[in-house]
Amino acid sequence: LIGNFFSIIGGFQYYLQISKGDLRLQSRYSSILLLAYIPVLYFLIDLYGVLGAAFSWLIFRAITFFIWH
């Protein structure tokens, strides 16, 4: 529930960039986030299973919300 909140509110930045027509920042940030997220996700799933996946998703959504916005 909390992760969904961060994801929904975070979508507004994406929509603003679409309306302006400049998605360079969004594509760069998404690429960097993906490269950071995959190893963390693998590590946490290996240790905690499904709860590790959920926790990593929440943490990365919160980080994205507070840094990107």
Side-chain angles (χ1 to χ4, degrees), residues 44 48-56:
L44 288 178
Y48 302 108
V50 174
L51 291 176
F55 185 69
S56 68

Side-chain angles (χ1 to χ4, degrees), residues 37-54 56:
Y37 185 63
I38 290 175
V40 170
L41 183 64
Y42 179 78
F43 177 73
L44 288 178
I45 287 176
D46 191 39
L47 287 178
Y48 302 108
V50 174
L51 291 176
S56 68

Side-chain angles (χ1 to χ4, degrees), residues 13-67:
Q13 178 72 22
Y14 176 72
Y15 298 133
L16 287 172
Q17 288 182 9
I18 285 178
S19 67
K20 186 179 177 189
D22 186 15
L23 291 173
R24 284 181 297 141
L25 293 176
Q26 185 69 30
S27 62
R28 287 179 188 165
Y29 184 74
S30 295
S31 300
I32 292 169
L33 187 67
L34 179 67
L35 292 175
Y37 185 63
I38 290 175
V40 170
L41 183 64
Y42 179 78
F43 177 73
L44 288 178
I45 287 176
D46 191 39
L47 287 178
Y48 302 108
V50 174
L51 291 176
F55 185 69
S56 68
W57 186 78
L58 172 65
I59 294 300
F60 272 88
R61 292 297 105 199
I63 289 170
T64 300
F65 180 77
F66 289 117
I67 291 175

